[in-house]
Amino acid sequence: MLNIKADFPVLNRLFGGDAGEPGMALHYLDSAATTQKPLSVIETMDRFYRESYGTVRRGVYRLSEKATAEYENTRKKVAKLLNAASEKEIVYTSGTTQSINLVAYSYGRKFLKPGDEILLSTIEHHANIVPWQLITEMTGAVIKVIPVDDTGTLILSEYAKLLTERTRIVAVNHVSNALGTINPVKEMIRMARQANHFNPQDPTRRGAVVLIDGAQSVSHMKVDVRDLDADFYAFSGHKMFGPTGIGILYGKSAILESMPPYQGGGDMIERVTFARTTYQKPPHRFEAGTPAIVEVVGLGAALDYLAHLGLDRIAAHENALLQYGTRLLSEIPELRLIGTAPHKASILSFTLEGVHPHDIGTLLDEEGIAIRAGHHCAQPTMDRFGVPATARASLGPYNDTADLDALAAGLRKIIEVFR
Ligand SMILES: *Cc1c(COP(=O)(O)O)cnc(C)c1O
C-alpha cells in the first residue's frame, strides 16, 4: 500500500480547531471532484512565478525562452503519459469541458450533417452531453444513447445495434464519475471501427470517430491512446494532482489537421490580413490567446509526481481500498450502493434509507469527512437509477483504510440520529 499523505499539505493540517481545541484531521473522499495537490506541484508553481515567469512563444528574451521550454516540455510529458505518437497531438485546453467543446464545435460543426448520429452513454457527465446537444441544434445531427444495466454497466449488444452508417461520433467516458464503472473503451472503439460504413459517394465520410472522456481515468490507471486506438482523449489537470485551469485534448494528427480553429486570437495564426488569415498547424491552431502558463508547468510537476508513484501502484492501492470500502459499506443494512459494475474504479456512490444525501454530506463534514452529495453533473445517471442524488466517496492514492473506517463510523452515527 502507498503511504503518501505526508506529500499533501492540506491532508496534514487540522481543521475547525478554535478556542484552544485541537482541530480535526481531514478525511478527504472527494477526489473524483478534484484531487489535492502534492507539495512538489505547489512549490514548482511558486518557484516558477518567482524565478522563471514570462510569456511563452512570443518573447525574444531569455526569460521567455526558458519559460517556453518548460511550457512545451509538459506537452512531451503528456505525450509520454498517453503513449501518443507525437507531442503535436497534445492540445492544451482549460479542462475536460473545454476539450470536449473544442471537438464538438470544431470537428462536429465541420463534419456533422442533418440526420448524422452521435452516440453517448447514459452515464455521461454533463460535459459530455451538453456540448453535443448544442451542436445538434446547429447541425441537425441527433443524439442516441447507449443504455446501462442495473449495475451501471454499458450494454454492449445495444451499443452494437446503435452503431449504424449514420454514426459519426461516439463519445463515452472511460470511467463514470457518478458510479465508478470502467467502460470497455478499447472494445467499444474496435466495434466502432468494424462498423465503419464506407460511403463511396463521399469518401470523406468514413465511419465514426471516437472521443473518450478520460477525466476519471488518467490518474488512476495506465492509458495508452495508441493501444486503445482513440481518436480523441480528454482530461483535466486538477483531477490528477495538477492545478485547475489546465486540461488536455489528445487528438490523432490527421484528424486534428482536418479541423478548423475553435477560437480565434493571438498565437493560433500564421498570417493575418483583413482579406484572409491562415492558421498554425495543430496543436497551436487550437490554442488562441495567452495560455495558462504556470498551470501547464504545474501539470508537468504533477506528471512527474504520478510517474514517481507509478500508475500500477496507484491502481493496486486504490483497488484494495475499493474492495475494503465496498465491504464496509455493504455491512450497513440501510445503505444502497449505486454502481456495482464488476469492473469498477474507486468510487462509492450510495444512498441511505430515510436520509437525504445532502444531510449525509453535512453531517459527515462535522466528523472531518469530505464527500460529495448531489447529482455529480450526471442527472441522466441519477434518473436511470431512480434517485435525485447520491452521496459519493471517491478515493485517491493518498487515502487509507482509516479514511474508510471513519466514513463507515460516520454513517452509522447518522443512522442512529435519524432512527
Ligand atoms: C470532472 C469531469 C468532467 C469535467 O471536467 P472539468 O474539469 O470540470 O472540465 C467531465 N467528465 C468527467 C467524467 C468528469 O469526472
mmCIF file of all heavy atoms in Angstrom, residues 106-137:
data_model
loop_
_atom_site.group_PDB
_atom_site.id
_atom_site.type_symbol
_atom_site.label_atom_id
_atom_site.label_comp_id
_atom_site.label_asym_id
_atom_site.label_seq_id
_atom_site.Cartn_x
_atom_site.Cartn_y
_atom_site.Cartn_z
ATOM 1 N N SER A 106 -15.490 22.299 -33.288
ATOM 2 C CA SER A 106 -14.614 22.297 -34.453
ATOM 3 C C SER A 106 -14.932 21.104 -35.353
ATOM 4 O O SER A 106 -15.417 21.268 -36.472
ATOM 5 C CB SER A 106 -13.147 22.252 -33.996
ATOM 6 O OG SER A 106 -12.317 21.992 -35.109
ATOM 7 N N TYR A 107 -14.702 19.909 -34.846
ATOM 8 C CA TYR A 107 -14.956 18.708 -35.657
ATOM 9 C C TYR A 107 -16.439 18.573 -35.962
ATOM 10 O O TYR A 107 -16.840 18.353 -37.109
ATOM 11 C CB TYR A 107 -14.444 17.463 -34.923
ATOM 12 C CG TYR A 107 -14.530 16.220 -35.772
ATOM 13 C CD1 TYR A 107 -13.445 15.807 -36.538
ATOM 14 C CD2 TYR A 107 -15.702 15.469 -35.828
ATOM 15 C CE1 TYR A 107 -13.525 14.685 -37.343
ATOM 16 C CE2 TYR A 107 -15.793 14.347 -36.634
ATOM 17 C CZ TYR A 107 -14.699 13.959 -37.380
ATOM 18 O OH TYR A 107 -14.789 12.860 -38.185
ATOM 19 N N GLY A 108 -17.257 18.712 -34.910
ATOM 20 C CA GLY A 108 -18.702 18.490 -35.058
ATOM 21 C C GLY A 108 -19.317 19.456 -36.048
ATOM 22 O O GLY A 108 -20.076 19.064 -36.938
ATOM 23 N N ARG A 109 -18.971 20.739 -35.900
ATOM 24 C CA ARG A 109 -19.610 21.718 -36.774
ATOM 25 C C ARG A 109 -19.174 21.537 -38.222
ATOM 26 O O ARG A 109 -19.941 21.767 -39.150
ATOM 27 C CB ARG A 109 -19.312 23.131 -36.292
ATOM 28 C CG ARG A 109 -20.460 24.042 -36.554
ATOM 29 C CD ARG A 109 -20.653 25.138 -35.568
ATOM 30 N NE ARG A 109 -19.430 25.841 -35.230
ATOM 31 C CZ ARG A 109 -19.436 27.066 -34.730
ATOM 32 N NH1 ARG A 109 -20.565 27.698 -34.544
ATOM 33 N NH2 ARG A 109 -18.312 27.641 -34.407
ATOM 34 N N LYS A 110 -17.925 21.088 -38.426
ATOM 35 C CA LYS A 110 -17.468 20.910 -39.803
ATOM 36 C C LYS A 110 -18.041 19.645 -40.448
ATOM 37 O O LYS A 110 -18.429 19.652 -41.612
ATOM 38 C CB LYS A 110 -15.933 20.853 -39.852
ATOM 39 C CG LYS A 110 -15.407 20.604 -41.264
ATOM 40 C CD LYS A 110 -13.938 20.911 -41.412
ATOM 41 C CE LYS A 110 -13.473 20.569 -42.830
ATOM 42 N NZ LYS A 110 -12.009 20.579 -42.926
ATOM 43 N N PHE A 111 -18.084 18.560 -39.684
ATOM 44 C CA PHE A 111 -18.373 17.273 -40.329
ATOM 45 C C PHE A 111 -19.794 16.746 -40.147
ATOM 46 O O PHE A 111 -20.199 15.840 -40.865
ATOM 47 C CB PHE A 111 -17.369 16.212 -39.856
ATOM 48 C CG PHE A 111 -15.961 16.479 -40.339
ATOM 49 C CD1 PHE A 111 -14.976 16.902 -39.456
ATOM 50 C CD2 PHE A 111 -15.637 16.324 -41.680
ATOM 51 C CE1 PHE A 111 -13.678 17.154 -39.899
ATOM 52 C CE2 PHE A 111 -14.346 16.572 -42.137
ATOM 53 C CZ PHE A 111 -13.364 16.995 -41.238
ATOM 54 N N LEU A 112 -20.542 17.275 -39.166
ATOM 55 C CA LEU A 112 -21.882 16.716 -38.942
ATOM 56 C C LEU A 112 -22.897 17.300 -39.911
ATOM 57 O O LEU A 112 -22.910 18.511 -40.161
ATOM 58 C CB LEU A 112 -22.342 16.988 -37.502
ATOM 59 C CG LEU A 112 -21.621 16.212 -36.400
ATOM 60 C CD1 LEU A 112 -22.059 16.706 -35.023
ATOM 61 C CD2 LEU A 112 -21.860 14.711 -36.530
ATOM 62 N N LYS A 113 -23.736 16.412 -40.440
ATOM 63 C CA LYS A 113 -24.806 16.839 -41.345
ATOM 64 C C LYS A 113 -26.154 16.411 -40.744
ATOM 65 O O LYS A 113 -26.186 15.556 -39.859
ATOM 66 C CB LYS A 113 -24.609 16.181 -42.716
ATOM 67 C CG LYS A 113 -23.247 16.499 -43.338
ATOM 68 C CD LYS A 113 -23.332 16.592 -44.850
ATOM 69 C CE LYS A 113 -22.122 17.272 -45.441
ATOM 70 N NZ LYS A 113 -20.895 16.454 -45.371
ATOM 71 N N PRO A 114 -27.254 16.987 -41.234
ATOM 72 C CA PRO A 114 -28.555 16.616 -40.673
ATOM 73 C C PRO A 114 -28.776 15.101 -40.719
ATOM 74 O O PRO A 114 -28.486 14.469 -41.741
ATOM 75 C CB PRO A 114 -29.557 17.347 -41.580
ATOM 76 C CG PRO A 114 -28.797 18.536 -42.072
ATOM 77 C CD PRO A 114 -27.377 18.059 -42.250
ATOM 78 N N GLY A 115 -29.260 14.546 -39.634
ATOM 79 C CA GLY A 115 -29.527 13.115 -39.574
ATOM 80 C C GLY A 115 -28.337 12.278 -39.122
ATOM 81 O O GLY A 115 -28.488 11.099 -38.797
ATOM 82 N N ASP A 116 -27.138 12.862 -39.110
ATOM 83 C CA ASP A 116 -25.979 12.134 -38.584
ATOM 84 C C ASP A 116 -26.195 11.852 -37.103
ATOM 85 O O ASP A 116 -26.908 12.593 -36.418
ATOM 86 C CB ASP A 116 -24.701 12.972 -38.746
ATOM 87 C CG ASP A 116 -24.160 12.920 -40.165
ATOM 88 O OD1 ASP A 116 -24.678 12.127 -40.973
ATOM 89 O OD2 ASP A 116 -23.214 13.681 -40.453
ATOM 90 N N GLU A 117 -25.554 10.778 -36.629
ATOM 91 C CA GLU A 117 -25.815 10.375 -35.242
ATOM 92 C C GLU A 117 -24.570 10.460 -34.358
ATOM 93 O O GLU A 117 -23.460 10.123 -34.779
ATOM 94 C CB GLU A 117 -26.375 8.952 -35.232
ATOM 95 C CG GLU A 117 -27.760 8.913 -35.882
ATOM 96 C CD GLU A 117 -28.330 7.514 -36.043
ATOM 97 O OE1 GLU A 117 -27.677 6.532 -35.640
ATOM 98 O OE2 GLU A 117 -29.454 7.423 -36.586
ATOM 99 N N ILE A 118 -24.810 10.919 -33.148
ATOM 100 C CA ILE A 118 -23.784 10.982 -32.106
ATOM 101 C C ILE A 118 -24.213 9.990 -31.032
ATOM 102 O O ILE A 118 -25.335 10.062 -30.536
ATOM 103 C CB ILE A 118 -23.707 12.395 -31.491
ATOM 104 C CG1 ILE A 118 -23.413 13.440 -32.571
ATOM 105 C CG2 ILE A 118 -22.674 12.443 -30.382
ATOM 106 C CD1 ILE A 118 -23.642 14.885 -32.098
ATOM 107 N N LEU A 119 -23.331 9.052 -30.702
ATOM 108 C CA LEU A 119 -23.659 8.068 -29.659
ATOM 109 C C LEU A 119 -23.003 8.471 -28.348
ATOM 110 O O LEU A 119 -21.784 8.665 -28.294
ATOM 111 C CB LEU A 119 -23.146 6.671 -30.030
ATOM 112 C CG LEU A 119 -23.810 5.901 -31.158
ATOM 113 C CD1 LEU A 119 -23.312 4.449 -31.136
ATOM 114 C CD2 LEU A 119 -25.304 5.940 -31.007
ATOM 115 N N LEU A 120 -23.831 8.595 -27.321
ATOM 116 C CA LEU A 120 -23.336 8.864 -25.972
ATOM 117 C C LEU A 120 -23.832 7.730 -25.084
ATOM 118 O O LEU A 120 -24.721 6.986 -25.479
ATOM 119 C CB LEU A 120 -23.895 10.191 -25.444
ATOM 120 C CG LEU A 120 -23.732 11.430 -26.332
ATOM 121 C CD1 LEU A 120 -24.424 12.623 -25.683
ATOM 122 C CD2 LEU A 120 -22.258 11.742 -26.565
ATOM 123 N N SER A 121 -23.302 7.631 -23.861
ATOM 124 C CA SER A 121 -23.864 6.619 -22.964
ATOM 125 C C SER A 121 -24.755 7.298 -21.932
ATOM 126 O O SER A 121 -24.674 8.512 -21.720
ATOM 127 C CB SER A 121 -22.747 5.825 -22.276
ATOM 128 O OG SER A 121 -22.374 6.442 -21.074
ATOM 129 N N THR A 122 -25.576 6.503 -21.281
ATOM 130 C CA THR A 122 -26.471 7.008 -20.234
ATOM 131 C C THR A 122 -25.691 7.636 -19.091
ATOM 132 O O THR A 122 -26.170 8.554 -18.441
ATOM 133 C CB THR A 122 -27.291 5.826 -19.654
ATOM 134 O OG1 THR A 122 -27.913 5.147 -20.729
ATOM 135 C CG2 THR A 122 -28.343 6.293 -18.667
ATOM 136 N N ILE A 123 -24.484 7.126 -18.843
ATOM 137 C CA ILE A 123 -23.766 7.519 -17.626
ATOM 138 C C ILE A 123 -22.673 8.537 -17.918
ATOM 139 O O ILE A 123 -21.580 8.465 -17.374
ATOM 140 C CB ILE A 123 -23.223 6.283 -16.884
ATOM 141 C CG1 ILE A 123 -22.381 5.389 -17.822
ATOM 142 C CG2 ILE A 123 -24.374 5.470 -16.294
ATOM 143 C CD1 ILE A 123 -21.649 4.268 -17.082
ATOM 144 N N GLU A 124 -22.986 9.511 -18.788
ATOM 145 C CA GLU A 124 -22.004 10.563 -19.068
ATOM 146 C C GLU A 124 -22.150 11.732 -18.095
ATOM 147 O O GLU A 124 -23.224 12.016 -17.572
ATOM 148 C CB GLU A 124 -22.180 11.076 -20.499
ATOM 149 C CG GLU A 124 -21.890 10.047 -21.577
ATOM 150 C CD GLU A 124 -20.541 9.376 -21.415
ATOM 151 O OE1 GLU A 124 -19.550 10.086 -21.157
ATOM 152 O OE2 GLU A 124 -20.482 8.134 -21.526
ATOM 153 N N HIS A 125 -21.041 12.417 -17.902
ATOM 154 C CA HIS A 125 -21.001 13.710 -17.214
ATOM 155 C C HIS A 125 -21.664 14.740 -18.135
ATOM 156 O O HIS A 125 -21.584 14.621 -19.354
ATOM 157 C CB HIS A 125 -19.529 14.063 -16.992
ATOM 158 C CG HIS A 125 -19.262 15.251 -16.124
ATOM 159 N ND1 HIS A 125 -19.415 16.542 -16.558
ATOM 160 C CD2 HIS A 125 -18.821 15.340 -14.841
ATOM 161 C CE1 HIS A 125 -19.078 17.373 -15.587
ATOM 162 N NE2 HIS A 125 -18.716 16.674 -14.530
ATOM 163 N N HIS A 126 -22.288 15.750 -17.543
ATOM 164 C CA HIS A 126 -22.941 16.774 -18.377
ATOM 165 C C HIS A 126 -21.976 17.383 -19.397
ATOM 166 O O HIS A 126 -22.399 17.816 -20.475
ATOM 167 C CB HIS A 126 -23.543 17.880 -17.496
ATOM 168 C CG HIS A 126 -24.642 17.379 -16.598
ATOM 169 N ND1 HIS A 126 -25.094 18.065 -15.508
ATOM 170 C CD2 HIS A 126 -25.379 16.230 -16.643
ATOM 171 C CE1 HIS A 126 -26.059 17.379 -14.898
ATOM 172 N NE2 HIS A 126 -26.237 16.262 -15.566
ATOM 173 N N ALA A 127 -20.695 17.406 -19.067
ATOM 174 C CA ALA A 127 -19.698 17.964 -20.000
ATOM 175 C C ALA A 127 -19.590 17.137 -21.272
ATOM 176 O O ALA A 127 -19.077 17.619 -22.292
ATOM 177 C CB ALA A 127 -18.325 18.042 -19.323
ATOM 178 N N ASN A 128 -20.050 15.887 -21.206
ATOM 179 C CA ASN A 128 -20.025 15.053 -22.412
ATOM 180 C C ASN A 128 -21.453 14.806 -22.928
ATOM 181 O O ASN A 128 -21.707 13.827 -23.619
ATOM 182 C CB ASN A 128 -19.303 13.727 -22.130
ATOM 183 C CG ASN A 128 -18.867 13.022 -23.415
ATOM 184 O OD1 ASN A 128 -18.647 13.671 -24.449
ATOM 185 N ND2 ASN A 128 -18.761 11.710 -23.368
ATOM 186 N N ILE A 129 -22.355 15.672 -22.564
ATOM 187 C CA ILE A 129 -23.725 15.629 -23.089
ATOM 188 C C ILE A 129 -24.087 16.978 -23.714
ATOM 189 O O ILE A 129 -24.428 17.068 -24.899
ATOM 190 C CB ILE A 129 -24.748 15.292 -21.968
ATOM 191 C CG1 ILE A 129 -24.441 13.923 -21.341
ATOM 192 C CG2 ILE A 129 -26.176 15.313 -22.539
ATOM 193 C CD1 ILE A 129 -25.323 13.570 -20.140
ATOM 194 N N VAL A 130 -23.965 18.023 -22.897
ATOM 195 C CA VAL A 130 -24.489 19.334 -23.314
ATOM 196 C C VAL A 130 -23.774 19.909 -24.552
ATOM 197 O O VAL A 130 -24.447 20.437 -25.448
ATOM 198 C CB VAL A 130 -24.477 20.326 -22.122
ATOM 199 C CG1 VAL A 130 -25.117 21.645 -22.526
ATOM 200 C CG2 VAL A 130 -25.227 19.730 -20.937
ATOM 201 N N PRO A 131 -22.441 19.810 -24.664
ATOM 202 C CA PRO A 131 -21.818 20.336 -25.893
ATOM 203 C C PRO A 131 -22.387 19.671 -27.155
ATOM 204 O O PRO A 131 -22.577 20.329 -28.178
ATOM 205 C CB PRO A 131 -20.333 19.995 -25.729
ATOM 206 C CG PRO A 131 -20.144 19.836 -24.262
ATOM 207 C CD PRO A 131 -21.435 19.281 -23.724
ATOM 208 N N TRP A 132 -22.680 18.392 -27.048
ATOM 209 C CA TRP A 132 -23.226 17.662 -28.208
ATOM 210 C C TRP A 132 -24.647 18.105 -28.507
ATOM 211 O O TRP A 132 -25.055 18.193 -29.661
ATOM 212 C CB TRP A 132 -23.148 16.150 -27.976
ATOM 213 C CG TRP A 132 -21.751 15.692 -27.702
ATOM 214 C CD1 TRP A 132 -21.265 15.168 -26.546
ATOM 215 C CD2 TRP A 132 -20.640 15.744 -28.608
ATOM 216 N NE1 TRP A 132 -19.928 14.897 -26.660
ATOM 217 C CE2 TRP A 132 -19.515 15.235 -27.910
ATOM 218 C CE3 TRP A 132 -20.472 16.180 -29.926
ATOM 219 C CZ2 TRP A 132 -18.246 15.149 -28.493
ATOM 220 C CZ3 TRP A 132 -19.216 16.091 -30.503
ATOM 221 C CH2 TRP A 132 -18.120 15.587 -29.802
ATOM 222 N N GLN A 133 -25.401 18.391 -27.429
ATOM 223 C CA GLN A 133 -26.769 18.901 -27.661
ATOM 224 C C GLN A 133 -26.713 20.245 -28.378
ATOM 225 O O GLN A 133 -27.491 20.509 -29.303
ATOM 226 C CB GLN A 133 -27.506 19.042 -26.324
ATOM 227 C CG GLN A 133 -27.853 17.690 -25.720
ATOM 228 C CD GLN A 133 -28.515 17.818 -24.344
ATOM 229 O OE1 GLN A 133 -28.155 18.688 -23.546
ATOM 230 N NE2 GLN A 133 -29.455 16.944 -24.061
ATOM 231 N N LEU A 134 -25.794 21.099 -27.967
ATOM 232 C CA LEU A 134 -25.675 22.409 -28.621
ATOM 233 C C LEU A 134 -25.323 22.240 -30.097
ATOM 234 O O LEU A 134 -25.829 22.959 -30.957
ATOM 235 C CB LEU A 134 -24.610 23.257 -27.908
ATOM 236 C CG LEU A 134 -24.965 23.662 -26.464
ATOM 237 C CD1 LEU A 134 -23.762 24.262 -25.747
ATOM 238 C CD2 LEU A 134 -26.117 24.663 -26.475
ATOM 239 N N ILE A 135 -24.469 21.252 -30.386
ATOM 240 C CA ILE A 135 -24.042 21.044 -31.773
ATOM 241 C C ILE A 135 -25.160 20.436 -32.613
ATOM 242 O O ILE A 135 -25.292 20.742 -33.803
ATOM 243 C CB ILE A 135 -22.762 20.171 -31.799
ATOM 244 C CG1 ILE A 135 -21.563 21.024 -31.383
ATOM 245 C CG2 ILE A 135 -22.517 19.518 -33.149
ATOM 246 C CD1 ILE A 135 -21.366 22.314 -32.113
ATOM 247 N N THR A 136 -25.983 19.586 -31.999
ATOM 248 C CA THR A 136 -27.089 19.037 -32.790
ATOM 249 C C THR A 136 -28.048 20.153 -33.197
ATOM 250 O O THR A 136 -28.598 20.131 -34.294
ATOM 251 C CB THR A 136 -27.887 17.952 -32.018
ATOM 252 O OG1 THR A 136 -28.354 18.514 -30.798
ATOM 253 C CG2 THR A 136 -27.062 16.729 -31.743
ATOM 254 N N GLU A 137 -28.206 21.164 -32.328
ATOM 255 C CA GLU A 137 -29.077 22.289 -32.694
ATOM 256 C C GLU A 137 -28.537 23.042 -33.901
ATOM 257 O O GLU A 137 -29.293 23.571 -34.702
ATOM 258 C CB GLU A 137 -29.221 23.253 -31.506
ATOM 259 C CG GLU A 137 -30.189 22.729 -30.449
ATOM 260 C CD GLU A 137 -30.099 23.513 -29.141
ATOM 261 O OE1 GLU A 137 -29.640 24.671 -29.160
ATOM 262 O OE2 GLU A 137 -30.485 22.929 -28.106
#
